[in-house]
């Protein structure tokens, strides 16, 4: 019985490389895009100065200074804001010491505290919200009536 054969075996044939079809990337959902474009300042974060953002920001920490945006601001339960807020819409769950100007809507949820004035076309105030200030609720000028 011979263990080693005197003739070498031929190498196996090399097959051509065929590119594998790539897995298509699933289309991004609106919620995923919105989440990717939003920011969060978590509890324990403290900012002194002005804050500017474009789409959406959730603040659960402390901010001392102005907040300006054309987007949506959510003030979390642990948040404490000392300064002016000027955004498209504001939802308050925490504490705000300063005036709020909202282009579309302002919501004061149960348990929140606002010491300042509000100017917005729509205002929602929950039953257990604390609001010390004045509110100017006004929509834009009405278009002139057409004569028939």
């Amino acid at each position: 019985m011979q263990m080693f054969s005197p003739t070498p075996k031929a190498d196996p044939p090399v097959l051509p490389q065929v590119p594998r079809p790539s897995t298509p990337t699933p289309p991004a959902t609106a919620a995923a895009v919105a989440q990717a474009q939003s920011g969060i300042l978590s509890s324990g974060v403290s900012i002194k100065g002005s804050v500017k953002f474009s789409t959406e920001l959730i603040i659960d920490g402390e901010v001392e200074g102005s907040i300006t945006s054309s987007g949506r601001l959510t003030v979390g339960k642990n948040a404490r804001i000392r300064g002016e807020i000027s955004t498209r819409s504001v939802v308050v769950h925490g504490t705000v010491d300063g005036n709020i100007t909202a282009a579309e809507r302002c919501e004061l949820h149960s348990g929140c505290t606002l010491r300042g004035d509000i100017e917005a076309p729509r205002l929602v105030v929950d039953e257990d919200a604390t609001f010390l200030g004045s509110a100017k609720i006004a929509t834009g000028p009405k278009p002139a009536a057409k004569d028939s």
Side-chain angles (χ1 to χ4, degrees), residues 112-137:
C112 80
T113 300
L114 170 61
R115 293 180 201 89
D117 299 336
I118 297 173
E119 186 172 344
R122 280 177 242 115
L123 175 63
V124 177
V125 182
D126 282 354
E127 190 173 315
D128 195 27
T130 302
F131 173 37
L132 304 169
S134 63
K136 180 179 177 185
I137 310 304

Side-chain angles (χ1 to χ4, degrees), residues 34-41 53 55-59 72 74:
Q35 188 174 10
Q37 294 178 348
S38 67
I40 299 174
L41 294 176
F53 63 96
T55 55
E56 184 173 5
L57 180 63
I58 300 168
I59 298 176
R72 176 186 170 142
T74 301

Side-chain angles (χ1 to χ4, degrees), residues 7-31:
T7 57
K9 290 185 179 179
D11 291 332
V14 177
L15 298 175
Q17 291 288 341
V18 177
R20 292 183 179 170
S22 64
T23 325
T25 306
T29 63

